Amino acid sequence: MGSFTSARRIGYCCKFHLSDILEDCIEYCKYQFEYGQRQSDGATVKEHIEAAMASPFAATLGEKQKQLQEEQESEPPLLPTSAQFAWTYFLRLHQTRQAGGFGGFFAITYQEMQAFFALEQTTPEPYELELIRVWDKIALDHLHKEQQRQSKTK
């Protein structure tokens, strides 16, 4: 086990359970994929929403748009501290995701995770592996929806 892994475990309680943070981690991941996604003009969805709400025409919008504005003005979900290393691992694995035939994407495999952690010379906690799997499912769902949306516009 590398010194990096050992150092990050200092201070963690032995009674830690994934269920304590899972909901917050799921919300954070979904938010990042839905609102952090870059559009064709280079701006994120969140930046587009903020610009629209700052428009002088926003005051004339209907109830649905006002509800959307209230949702966007609320604080974005926060990633629990105990999941920050797992999120970093996930993002790095996600960047190397394999594309399948016909434009699809493959899930991050255990072999890819094993190779990644061997190269990093670190051993993940079991809950970190589970978080990566959960986030991977969310990412695949998002990528699939994006493919469907893009195929409808063509």
Side-chain angles (χ1 to χ4, degrees):
M1 189 178 327
S3 60
F4 179 70
T5 303
S6 301
R8 72 185 171 99
R9 290 196 175 128
I10 295 173
Y12 282 103
C13 176
C14 301
K15 305 245 180 212
F16 175 82
H17 294 284
L18 177 61
S19 60
D20 297 338
I21 63 167
L22 185 59
E23 188 176 318
D24 291 339
C25 291
I26 289 171
E27 286 180 35
Y28 181 83
C29 183
K30 286 181 177 179
Y31 182 87
Q32 293 300 316
F33 277 104
E34 291 172 15
Y35 296 105
Q37 179 180 0
R38 297 253 173 230
Q39 301 299 295
S40 59
D41 64 352
T44 64
V45 172
K46 186 172 181 356
E47 291 168 343
H48 279 281
I49 292 170
E50 289 171 350
M53 292 305 138
S55 165
F57 300 107
T60 63
L61 297 176
E63 191 61 35
K64 178 75 174 165
Q65 285 79 7
K66 287 179 185 177
Q67 181 184 2
L68 245 177
Q69 181 179 4
E70 289 171 6
E71 289 174 9
Q72 296 309 313
E73 288 175 354
S74 65
E75 291 293 317
L78 298 175
L79 182 65
T81 304
S82 54
Q84 290 177 350
F85 283 101
W87 181 252
T88 302
Y89 299 150
F90 167 71
L91 290 178
R92 293 177 64 198
L93 286 161
H94 177 65
Q95 290 172 342
T96 62
R97 181 180 303 281
Q98 297 293 314
F102 303 105
F105 293 93
F106 291 127
I108 297 168
T109 65
Y110 286 112
Q111 292 84 1
E112 290 169 323
M113 285 192 263
Q114 184 179 26
F116 172 80
F117 289 115
L119 288 170
E120 292 294 313
Q121 298 179 348
T122 189
T123 304
E125 294 289 336
Y127 79 91
E128 292 174 319
L129 292 174
E130 186 59 29
L131 281 174
I132 291 169
R133 301 299 303 161
V134 168
W135 288 330
D136 190 43
K137 169 114 178 57
I138 293 169
L140 287 172
D141 289 346
H142 177 77
L143 291 169
H144 180 70
K145 286 178 190 172
E146 279 303 302
Q147 282 183 329
Q148 287 180 333
R149 185 181 64 81
Q150 289 177 0
S151 67
K152 287 179 183 176
T153 60
K154 288 183 178 180

